[in-house]
Amino acid sequence: MSLSLPLPLPLPLPEAFLNFLEANSLDPSIYSSITSIPRYIRLKHENETHIEELEAELNCKLQRVNWLPAFYSLPPQTQIANSKAYKQGKLYGIDAASGAAVMALDIRAGDHVLDLCAAPGAKLCMIADVLGDSGSVTGVDIAKHRLAACRTMLQKYALGDRCRLFVADGTTFSLGPTRDRSDHVSCESPLEDSTNVYRKWTSRKPWKERKRAAKADKNVSSGTQPPELIFYGQQSGVIGLSRGQVYETMNDKEISAFGYDKVLVDAECTHDGSVKHIQKFEHWGWTTLQRRVLDAERSDRNLTALQLKLLSNGFRMLKVGGSLVYSTCSLTVAQNEDVIHQFLEDNASAELMEIDASNDWPCESGGISKSLRFDPLTSETSGLFVAKLTKLDI
């Protein structure tokens, strides 16, 4: 049997993991009573008129997800990677709960959106897809190889036209959105010569750029890595700008007026809410689970401190009146409600918002006002916590 297929978990679960679940008031049946959940895909808008063709190619029935536009569920064993539709970028795989986190942003035409923890890229693609032909998307991730995978996805699905991708630390990223200056490509700063002005993006970098990137790679291990732009689309607002303009940081007053309209902070977590992720440990080994999940929980202070820093910086980059969505695929209170509670105590300008689109979502209320929780038993999705905040003008 292929390792990519959902597999039943052995029973009983390892004692250490059961102790982890008990300590976090989590129901073990989430992992043991459901051996698989549906596979979800999102169709690019122009392909929704070709459902029958896709069904014939995938050899299965596509069930529309009524509460999530352009989403369809498939039998969990369905393989899409070898299909013509997948290879041509007509559809992409993304869990419905993850799609809900993006929909919670309520993206509007012209919005400038920041995805602060962009890898592996499914939510980033959906943001770009929903945004359409206006505004911009900025994706940030600290892992260059993972962000490079995001770049590949954007190109495959032809969704990168209004995107910028920066390798950067999400806890300190300070670059604001750039407006679309495609009509002013010839306008250069008088202090910059033409060799320092960004032109159409290409994967073939000039020698100076390769040297700069090599220097940036060396800085990663030392913790001094500056942002590195590894991709920008034709309508991203980068073309025609100098390096100094692209890398110009914003102070808090500027951010309040000209920061991002929407920010997604899908924070690093223990991934314990992802049933399919946990199922993989049957093959990876339960000692790997101990290292990646349980030991991470034991160093809880470091992880939740990181999550709080990501949330705080994402909120800092949000303009007044904008909205931020915080999500994790952990089901623990420590990584979700506790982080939000601490953040609200520290930030008088932050206020929780109702997620208007959630009226018919198959989820439950979280442990803090206006937050939501998805789980396999309730939602037939992976586990996900979602909370939405806005920035007040105080």
Side-chain angles (χ1 to χ4, degrees):
M1 182 178 290
S2 170
L3 301 187
S4 63
L5 298 179
L7 297 170
L9 287 165
L11 295 176
L13 292 168
E15 183 178 359
F17 188 57
L18 289 172
N19 292 338
F20 165 83
L21 298 179
E22 182 179 2
N24 288 281
S25 302
L26 298 176
D27 184 356
S29 66
I30 290 174
Y31 303 91
S32 58
S33 66
I34 295 181
T35 59
S36 64
I37 57 177
R39 181 164 199 170
Y40 294 95
I41 59 171
R42 189 174 198 273
L43 298 185
K44 293 182 66 179
H45 176 71
E46 63 272 17
N47 296 301
E48 285 206 86
T49 57
H50 304 289
I51 297 296
E52 291 185 359
E53 294 177 24
L54 290 172
E55 289 178 334
E57 185 180 351
L58 295 172
N59 194 29
C60 70
K61 185 73 175 177
L62 274 65
Q63 297 291 337
R64 182 184 293 273
V65 179
N66 293 326
W67 54 276
L68 209 54
F71 271 73
Y72 295 81
S73 66
L74 313 173
Q77 297 82 7
T78 306
Q79 299 296 293
I80 65 173
N82 293 324
S83 69
K84 183 178 178 181
Y86 178 81
K87 291 178 179 179
Q88 292 179 343
K90 295 180 179 179
L91 59 86
Y92 50 96
I94 176 173
D95 189 78
S98 297
V102 174
M103 291 304 295
L105 285 169
D106 191 22
I107 295 170
R108 303 295 180 91
D111 276 348
H112 295 279
V113 186
L114 172 62
D115 186 352
L116 199 59
C117 309
K123 295 184 186 72
L124 180 73
C125 285
M126 182 174 169
I127 290 170
D129 201 4
V130 171
L131 190 61
D133 59 358
S134 65
S136 70
V137 183
T138 299
V140 174
D141 204 273
I142 197 167
K144 187 172 183 177
H145 69 285
R146 284 165 58 81
L147 198 64
C150 293
R151 178 178 62 199
T152 300
M153 289 182 68
L154 288 172
Q155 292 174 302
K156 174 180 179 179
Y157 298 117
L159 292 171
D161 199 39
R162 294 183 173 273
C163 293
R164 303 179 302 167
L165 297 181
F166 287 97
V167 179
D169 185 343
T171 66
T172 58
F173 182 76
S174 297
L175 306 182
T178 53
R179 306 298 170 180
D180 182 4
R181 305 188 187 189
S182 58
D183 294 335
H184 308 284
V185 173
S186 62
C187 295
E188 301 174 8
S189 166
L191 300 179
E192 300 281 351
D193 62 57
S194 61
T195 62
N196 288 326
V197 173
Y198 284 92
R199 304 188 184 282
K200 184 177 179 179
W201 186 84
T202 173
S203 58
R204 299 182 64 182
K205 297 180 179 179
W207 179 81
K208 283 185 178 180
E209 193 65 26
R210 293 199 304 271
K211 185 177 180 181
R212 190 181 295 124
K215 184 177 180 181
D217 288 341
K218 289 181 180 179
N219 288 332
V220 173
S221 59
S222 64
T224 61
Q225 179 189 17
E228 179 190 353
L229 181 64
I230 68 164
F231 175 78
Y232 55 90
Q234 187 73 18
Q235 303 296 327
S236 65
V238 171
I239 294 177
L241 299 184
S242 69
R243 178 177 174 82
Q245 289 172 313
V246 170
Y247 285 88
E248 183 177 5
T249 58
M250 302 176 72
N251 59 43
D252 289 346
K253 184 177 180 180
E254 292 170 329
I255 292 170
S256 293
F258 306 110
Y260 292 93
D261 301 285
K262 308 288 167 61
V263 175
L264 175 64
V265 180
D266 186 46
E268 175 64 28
C269 68
T270 52
H271 306 287
D272 55 87
S274 173
V275 173
K276 291 183 179 180
H277 187 81
I278 295 298
Q279 285 175 335
K280 293 176 183 177
F281 290 108
E282 181 179 8
H283 295 278
W284 291 348
W286 295 113
T287 55
T288 308
L289 174 72
Q290 182 82 28
R291 185 178 73 252
R292 294 192 182 183
V293 176
L294 306 184
D295 289 349
E297 186 67 10
R298 290 197 183 97
S299 58
D300 184 53
R301 292 180 183 176
N302 292 333
L303 181 57
T304 55
L306 171 62
Q307 291 163 340
L308 185 58
K309 287 179 180 177
L310 288 167
L311 173 56
S312 298
N313 194 50
F315 189 78
R316 186 180 68 85
M317 296 304 297
L318 187 68
K319 77 175 188 180
V320 169
S323 55
L324 176 149
V325 167
Y326 174 84
S327 63
T328 81
C329 60
S330 171
L331 295 177
T332 68
V333 171
Q335 297 177 62
N336 297 307
E337 286 91 345
D338 287 355
V339 170
I340 295 293
H341 179 75
Q342 183 62 55
F343 175 76
L344 290 172
E345 282 193 345
D346 296 341
N347 294 271
S349 63
E351 182 177 81
L352 283 163
M353 299 178 67
E354 295 282 359
I355 300 175
D356 294 333
S358 68
N359 290 337
D360 58 350
W361 288 358
C363 58
E364 296 182 340
S365 297
I368 196 166
S369 175
K370 303 174 184 177
S371 65
L372 301 173
R373 280 176 169 266
F374 290 81
D375 70 72
L377 288 176
T378 304
S379 316
E380 291 192 332
T381 66
S382 279
L384 197 78
F385 172 87
V386 184
K388 185 175 182 179
L389 303 105
T390 188
K391 181 181 281 189
L392 305 175
D393 186 8
I394 61 172

